[in-house]
mmCIF file of all heavy atoms in Angstrom:
data_model
loop_
_atom_site.group_PDB
_atom_site.id
_atom_site.type_symbol
_atom_site.label_atom_id
_atom_site.label_comp_id
_atom_site.label_asym_id
_atom_site.label_seq_id
_atom_site.Cartn_x
_atom_site.Cartn_y
_atom_site.Cartn_z
ATOM 1 N N LYS A 86 -8.116 12.642 17.958
ATOM 2 C CA LYS A 86 -8.525 11.267 18.317
ATOM 3 C C LYS A 86 -9.891 10.912 17.743
ATOM 4 O O LYS A 86 -10.176 9.743 17.482
ATOM 5 C CB LYS A 86 -8.556 11.132 19.838
ATOM 6 C CG LYS A 86 -7.176 11.124 20.462
ATOM 7 C CD LYS A 86 -7.244 11.026 21.961
ATOM 8 C CE LYS A 86 -5.837 11.086 22.543
ATOM 9 N NZ LYS A 86 -5.834 11.141 24.002
ATOM 10 N N ASN A 87 -10.748 11.912 17.557
ATOM 11 C CA ASN A 87 -12.127 11.629 17.131
ATOM 12 C C ASN A 87 -12.275 11.283 15.647
ATOM 13 O O ASN A 87 -13.377 11.008 15.196
ATOM 14 C CB ASN A 87 -13.041 12.818 17.459
ATOM 15 C CG ASN A 87 -13.246 12.944 18.954
ATOM 16 O OD1 ASN A 87 -12.976 12.007 19.695
ATOM 17 N ND2 ASN A 87 -13.692 14.091 19.410
ATOM 18 N N ILE A 88 -11.162 11.309 14.899
ATOM 19 C CA ILE A 88 -11.279 10.914 13.477
ATOM 20 C C ILE A 88 -11.167 9.389 13.327
ATOM 21 O O ILE A 88 -11.393 8.854 12.258
ATOM 22 C CB ILE A 88 -10.233 11.622 12.568
ATOM 23 C CG1 ILE A 88 -8.810 11.146 12.883
ATOM 24 C CG2 ILE A 88 -10.359 13.130 12.673
ATOM 25 C CD1 ILE A 88 -7.766 11.623 11.882
ATOM 26 N N MET A 89 -10.834 8.695 14.432
ATOM 27 C CA MET A 89 -10.695 7.230 14.379
ATOM 28 C C MET A 89 -12.025 6.580 14.019
ATOM 29 O O MET A 89 -13.081 6.986 14.501
ATOM 30 C CB MET A 89 -10.243 6.687 15.739
ATOM 31 C CG MET A 89 -8.893 7.187 16.160
ATOM 32 S SD MET A 89 -7.578 6.594 15.113
ATOM 33 C CE MET A 89 -7.326 4.994 15.779
ATOM 34 N N GLY A 90 -11.948 5.559 13.163
ATOM 35 C CA GLY A 90 -13.151 4.816 12.791
ATOM 36 C C GLY A 90 -14.024 5.526 11.773
ATOM 37 O O GLY A 90 -15.134 5.086 11.491
ATOM 38 N N ARG A 91 -13.502 6.631 11.196
ATOM 39 C CA ARG A 91 -14.312 7.406 10.252
ATOM 40 C C ARG A 91 -13.734 7.330 8.837
ATOM 41 O O ARG A 91 -12.583 6.966 8.632
ATOM 42 C CB ARG A 91 -14.389 8.884 10.691
ATOM 43 C CG ARG A 91 -14.927 9.125 12.087
ATOM 44 C CD ARG A 91 -16.334 8.580 12.303
ATOM 45 N NE ARG A 91 -17.335 9.153 11.433
ATOM 46 C CZ ARG A 91 -18.069 10.240 11.724
ATOM 47 N NH1 ARG A 91 -17.901 10.876 12.864
ATOM 48 N NH2 ARG A 91 -18.984 10.679 10.887
ATOM 49 N N MET A 92 -14.575 7.737 7.868
ATOM 50 C CA MET A 92 -14.178 7.699 6.454
ATOM 51 C C MET A 92 -14.323 9.115 5.892
ATOM 52 O O MET A 92 -15.352 9.760 6.115
ATOM 53 C CB MET A 92 -15.093 6.714 5.724
ATOM 54 C CG MET A 92 -14.677 6.410 4.325
ATOM 55 S SD MET A 92 -15.199 4.779 3.770
ATOM 56 C CE MET A 92 -16.906 4.982 3.427
ATOM 57 N N PHE A 93 -13.297 9.592 5.185
ATOM 58 C CA PHE A 93 -13.260 10.993 4.731
ATOM 59 C C PHE A 93 -13.028 11.097 3.225
ATOM 60 O O PHE A 93 -12.516 10.168 2.598
ATOM 61 C CB PHE A 93 -12.117 11.740 5.435
ATOM 62 C CG PHE A 93 -12.249 11.813 6.923
ATOM 63 C CD1 PHE A 93 -11.660 10.846 7.727
ATOM 64 C CD2 PHE A 93 -12.958 12.832 7.528
ATOM 65 C CE1 PHE A 93 -11.771 10.894 9.098
ATOM 66 C CE2 PHE A 93 -13.079 12.892 8.905
ATOM 67 C CZ PHE A 93 -12.489 11.926 9.693
ATOM 68 N N ASP A 94 -13.343 12.294 2.695
ATOM 69 C CA ASP A 94 -12.920 12.621 1.333
ATOM 70 C C ASP A 94 -11.739 13.592 1.425
ATOM 71 O O ASP A 94 -11.274 13.908 2.528
ATOM 72 C CB ASP A 94 -14.092 13.204 0.510
ATOM 73 C CG ASP A 94 -14.573 14.548 1.034
ATOM 74 O OD1 ASP A 94 -13.907 15.127 1.940
ATOM 75 O OD2 ASP A 94 -15.617 15.040 0.560
ATOM 76 N N VAL A 95 -11.267 14.087 0.284
ATOM 77 C CA VAL A 95 -10.054 14.913 0.262
ATOM 78 C C VAL A 95 -10.212 16.244 1.016
ATOM 79 O O VAL A 95 -9.252 16.817 1.502
ATOM 80 C CB VAL A 95 -9.600 15.159 -1.208
ATOM 81 C CG1 VAL A 95 -10.571 16.060 -1.951
ATOM 82 C CG2 VAL A 95 -8.191 15.714 -1.278
ATOM 83 N N PHE A 96 -11.458 16.713 1.169
ATOM 84 C CA PHE A 96 -11.691 17.989 1.870
ATOM 85 C C PHE A 96 -11.846 17.801 3.380
ATOM 86 O O PHE A 96 -12.065 18.767 4.108
ATOM 87 C CB PHE A 96 -12.955 18.678 1.324
ATOM 88 C CG PHE A 96 -12.926 18.874 -0.161
ATOM 89 C CD1 PHE A 96 -13.760 18.152 -1.000
ATOM 90 C CD2 PHE A 96 -12.040 19.769 -0.736
ATOM 91 C CE1 PHE A 96 -13.723 18.316 -2.375
ATOM 92 C CE2 PHE A 96 -11.985 19.944 -2.116
ATOM 93 C CZ PHE A 96 -12.829 19.212 -2.933
ATOM 94 N N GLY A 97 -11.779 16.553 3.844
ATOM 95 C CA GLY A 97 -11.954 16.307 5.273
ATOM 96 C C GLY A 97 -13.409 16.142 5.668
ATOM 97 O O GLY A 97 -13.731 16.113 6.856
ATOM 98 N N ASN A 98 -14.321 16.048 4.672
ATOM 99 C CA ASN A 98 -15.733 15.810 4.990
ATOM 100 C C ASN A 98 -15.930 14.319 5.263
ATOM 101 O O ASN A 98 -15.363 13.478 4.564
ATOM 102 C CB ASN A 98 -16.639 16.208 3.809
ATOM 103 C CG ASN A 98 -16.429 17.649 3.399
ATOM 104 O OD1 ASN A 98 -16.284 18.521 4.241
ATOM 105 N ND2 ASN A 98 -16.382 17.905 2.098
ATOM 106 N N THR A 99 -16.767 14.001 6.258
ATOM 107 C CA THR A 99 -17.035 12.578 6.526
ATOM 108 C C THR A 99 -17.998 12.064 5.452
ATOM 109 O O THR A 99 -18.930 12.755 5.062
ATOM 110 C CB THR A 99 -17.668 12.389 7.912
ATOM 111 O OG1 THR A 99 -18.822 13.213 8.006
ATOM 112 C CG2 THR A 99 -16.693 12.743 9.016
#
Side-chain angles (χ1 to χ4, degrees):
K86 288 179 183 174
N87 290 344
I88 68 170
M89 297 294 279
R91 303 301 299 269
M92 189 152 77
F93 298 92
D94 66 8
V95 69
F96 305 110
N98 304 319
T99 54

